[in-house]
Amino acid sequence: MTHPPEHSHVVVHSPALDGSRRVTCGEETLGVASHIDDVTELLRQADLYVTDVEDSDLVEWQGGGPEDWPGLHEHPGS
């Protein structure tokens, strides 16, 4: 079964001042991501199983690609 293109269109918005990025699906905010793994988890929680969020037609990256997390390069405990 195929979904209409407007269904499940996910946007990873431009980084905020702290480097986090809001993730939305249509009008719904799925959450805030601090790392690409967070994007994958937010999609999973929304029952949107995307195996490769970096290269999926379902995910639109605004204000930078999947590698752009300014200010968040250091992970706590690293």
Side-chain angles (χ1 to χ4, degrees):
M1 177 188 335
T2 341
H3 297 292
E6 67 274 10
H7 182 78
S8 301
H9 179 75
V10 175
V11 177
V12 180
H13 295 267
S14 298
L17 293 176
D18 66 356
S20 64
R21 300 175 77 166
R22 191 166 53 98
V23 181
T24 59
C25 181
E27 298 296 315
E28 179 184 359
T29 297
L30 300 180
V32 176
S34 300
H35 187 269
I36 192 163
D37 293 340
D38 295 341
V39 176
T40 302
E41 179 60 15
L42 289 170
L43 296 183
R44 187 193 66 75
Q45 290 174 4
D47 290 327
L48 300 170
Y49 294 90
V50 179
T51 53
D52 185 3
V53 295
E54 294 182 51
D55 195 33
S56 171
D57 291 338
L58 180 73
V59 180
E60 176 186 344
W61 294 86
Q62 296 182 345
E67 67 286 339
D68 293 319
W69 302 92
L72 292 173
H73 297 295
E74 297 298 320
H75 289 285
S78 312

